Amino acid sequence: MKTFQLLLVLMLSFSFSVKANENGASKAPELIMTDPSSLIPSLKLSAEKGDAQAQYTLGNIYKQGLGGIEVNPVRALFWFKKAADQGLAKAQNNLAYMYQNGLGTKRNLSKAFKYFKLAADQNYSFALYNLALMYKNGEGVAKNNDSAINYFILAGDQGVFDAYLNLGIMYFFGDGVEEDRMQAADWFSKAAKYNVPEALYYLGLMSEHGDGLTQDYVAATYFYTQAAEYGNVLAMYNLGIIYATGTGTRPNNQLAAHWFSKAAEAGNADAQYNIGVMYDVGGGVPKDIKKAIEWYIKAAEQGSADAQYNLAIKYLEGEGIKKNKDTAIYWFTKASEQGDRDAKTYLDELLADK
């Protein structure tokens, strides 16, 4: 049986292309209305008279399908454009989002850029962030990292804290800028003040490895824990490794199992394999071969070579599962195709016996 994969997740290749768009109307009564359909006639009347806020609200109702109203991107686009052309910044932002994603119309990045820029010129925070992404990715405009950085800073200062995270990632990986881990740490720290999970994760990573920050395992564990509690799966996995190996702390199989389980339930294949091993040997959890196999299957189906190997052994030996040589051969084949030499040895022997 293969044991823990001890390789930490060292980096995260995020693609922060999720666009901010304000779906809710700004006034509380519009946010809590229980039956928007009953208000549509009066909203339409106001909208047709040129009320930009009513136009914007109708756009949101049709975009989201609120109150039982059927989602209708074409109508949403129509009303967002009416409000946007009157200069309502949040409508301009949402209209740009529609053009950017081809909702209710053909995708048009030039128009998306135009309306994000109009909203950003009014200092609208979401548009500042979205415009930064367009400059960074070269969508609808020539790629310009300096402009991207400027707009990310403006967006972050306006409360879109993922902008600080993006700045940290740019400097961490040297993406469009000179790699600077200390500057990355500064931006991650700004985002972490507002509990941005990925920023907390990176601070944990940098603290653990002394990369841009002083090496400090206590700080690493703290940041990983904060990130994990906010749902960051890689932080959960790394905590499992820290407690399993006793990195900067006493080994604690119970805590290792806890965090591996959390990451495994969130779909992390390495964590699924590791919690499978823990159930297999009874480390930090009661020994349970059937549960081990369940986790091995999940990890194996996601391509974990070690899980494929362990699963093949279970089928070969009939431990916790019905013995099945053909299925063992299948999983040994999968593992050997990924370069697992032990799996290849078993596979050669089994095929020679056929």
Side-chain angles (χ1 to χ4, degrees), residues 11-188:
M11 60 179 59
L12 198 56
S13 298
F14 281 110
S15 175
F16 282 91
S17 58
V18 176
K19 312 303 186 298
N21 85 101
E22 183 175 77
N23 290 321
S26 62
K27 296 179 182 178
E30 294 168 352
L31 289 173
I32 61 174
M33 54 185 163
T34 56
D35 185 10
S37 62
S38 66
L39 298 179
I40 285 182
S42 60
L43 281 170
K44 278 186 175 178
L45 184 62
S46 295
E48 287 165 358
K49 290 180 178 179
D51 185 320
Q53 180 61 49
Q55 293 165 347
Y56 170 76
T57 302
L58 276 175
N60 274 323
I61 289 173
Y62 284 119
K63 181 179 182 297
Q64 299 179 79
L66 297 174
I69 300 299
E70 187 176 351
V71 172
N72 191 322
V74 174
R75 288 187 180 181
L77 182 85
F78 174 82
W79 288 115
F80 282 146
K81 190 171 189 308
K82 287 285 188 182
D85 288 345
Q86 291 198 71
L88 189 65
K90 57 189 175 182
Q92 291 168 341
N93 181 74
N94 282 15
L95 178 63
Y97 180 88
M98 303 288 281
Y99 281 124
Q100 188 176 40
N101 292 277
L103 300 174
T105 185
K106 289 183 179 179
R107 191 168 190 244
N108 190 321
L109 294 179
S110 295
K111 284 187 177 180
F113 176 83
K114 171 188 172 181
Y115 282 102
F116 279 142
K117 182 68 165 60
L118 287 170
D121 286 347
Q122 297 186 63
N123 210 32
Y124 188 67
S125 60
F126 293 147
L128 292 166
Y129 176 79
N130 288 335
L131 199 61
L133 287 171
M134 296 202 82
Y135 274 118
K136 183 178 182 299
N137 297 325
E139 292 187 341
V141 66
K143 187 170 184 175
N144 188 320
N145 286 307
D146 289 338
S147 293
I149 289 169
N150 290 335
Y151 279 109
F152 276 140
I153 292 171
L154 290 170
D157 291 347
Q158 289 289 328
V160 183
F161 303 122
D162 275 353
Y164 293 148
L165 172 65
N166 276 268
L167 287 165
I169 289 171
M170 288 178 74
Y171 284 104
F172 187 90
F173 290 105
D175 181 10
V177 295
E178 186 176 349
E179 184 181 301
D180 187 333
R181 295 294 170 85
M182 292 182 70
Q183 194 159 354
D186 288 342
W187 288 116
F188 289 141

Side-chain angles (χ1 to χ4, degrees), residues 6-12 172 181 185 200-221 223-224 234-235 237-239 241-242 245 247-248:
L6 300 180
L7 179 65
L8 290 180
V9 179
L10 296 181
M11 60 179 59
L12 198 56
F172 187 90
R181 295 294 170 85
L200 290 161
Y201 164 79
Y202 273 105
L203 289 174
L205 190 68
M206 297 172 83
S207 296
E208 182 179 3
H209 297 282
D211 186 5
L213 293 170
T214 302
Q215 188 171 47
D216 185 336
Y217 292 119
V218 173
T221 302
F223 286 125
Y224 282 147
L234 292 179
Y237 176 78
N238 281 6
L239 278 172
I241 293 290
I242 282 174
T245 60
T247 303

